[in-house]
């Protein structure tokens, strides 16, 4: 069973940057589709970005396009989320998630489609 551990969260001023990392252990990382989600109190968990297994097809939410970039390093069993031009509305707990199987050309966009989750890392953007 794959286990996920996020790191890289913290406090940053608006306009700044952070890079989140998610290290996976167990299983075959290259066969997983990986996603980053975020959640604020009282709201549903929302997809930020996802990158599929094998072909590396990427989907990013409209709210982060042009600012956030998801990438993966299969040799290091790690997925990253580079966050630039951060805004106060990006403040949330960010979760890494993994799933397997499915169509490598069409990444799953719903949280229920992901099978394993990390513990989350807090990102706070001060205005």
């Amino acid at each position: 069973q794959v286990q996920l551990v996020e790191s890289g969260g913290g406090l940053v001023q608006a306009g700044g940057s952070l890079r989140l990392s998610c290290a996976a252990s167990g299983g075959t990382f290259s066969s997983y589709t990986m996603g980053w989600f975020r959640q604020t109190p009282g709201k549903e968990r929302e997809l930020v970005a996802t990158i599929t297994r094998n072909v590396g097809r990427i989907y990013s939410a409209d709210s982060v396009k042009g600012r956030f970039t998801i990438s993966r390093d299969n040799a290091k069993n790690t997925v990253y989320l580079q966050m630039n031009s951060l805004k106060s509305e990006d403040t949330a707990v960010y979760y890494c998630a993994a799933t397997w199987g499915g169509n490598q050309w069409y990444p799953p966009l719903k949280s229920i489609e992901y099978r394993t989750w990390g513990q989350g890392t807090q990102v706070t953007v001060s205005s």
Side-chain angles (χ1 to χ4, degrees):
Q1 179 74 1
V2 59
Q3 293 185 326
L4 305 174
V5 178
E6 301 100 333
S7 61
L11 174 64
V12 64
Q13 289 188 334
S17 298
L18 281 175
R19 188 175 82 156
L20 304 183
S21 299
C22 173
S25 60
T28 305
F29 180 75
S30 60
S31 69
Y32 303 143
T33 286
M34 302 298 298
W36 285 99
F37 289 75
R38 65 187 182 187
Q39 188 170 25
T40 54
K43 293 188 176 181
E44 291 187 359
R45 197 168 292 187
E46 65 170 352
L47 177 67
V48 176
T50 181
I51 184 167
T52 64
R53 60 186 174 88
N54 299 333
V55 299
R57 182 105 180 242
I58 289 173
Y59 169 87
S60 299
D62 288 343
S63 59
V64 305
K65 279 182 180 176
R67 301 190 298 123
F68 291 11
T69 303
I70 189 171
S71 63
R72 65 190 298 161
D73 186 336
N74 288 337
K76 295 183 178 180
N77 292 347
T78 301
V79 62
Y80 304 97
L81 185 68
Q82 178 66 45
M83 304 186 295
N84 299 327
S85 302
L86 283 160
K87 305 176 181 180
S88 57
E89 51 262 43
D90 295 319
T91 295
V93 177
Y94 283 71
Y95 296 92
C96 173
T99 192
W100 44 92
N103 191 319
Q104 62 185 350
W105 294 101
Y106 297 96
L109 304 182
K110 299 180 180 179
S111 60
I112 195 173
E113 298 177 277
Y114 287 79
R115 306 189 194 189
T116 300
W117 294 82
Q119 82 287 352
T121 185
Q122 176 71 46
V123 171
T124 302
V125 183
S126 62
S127 56

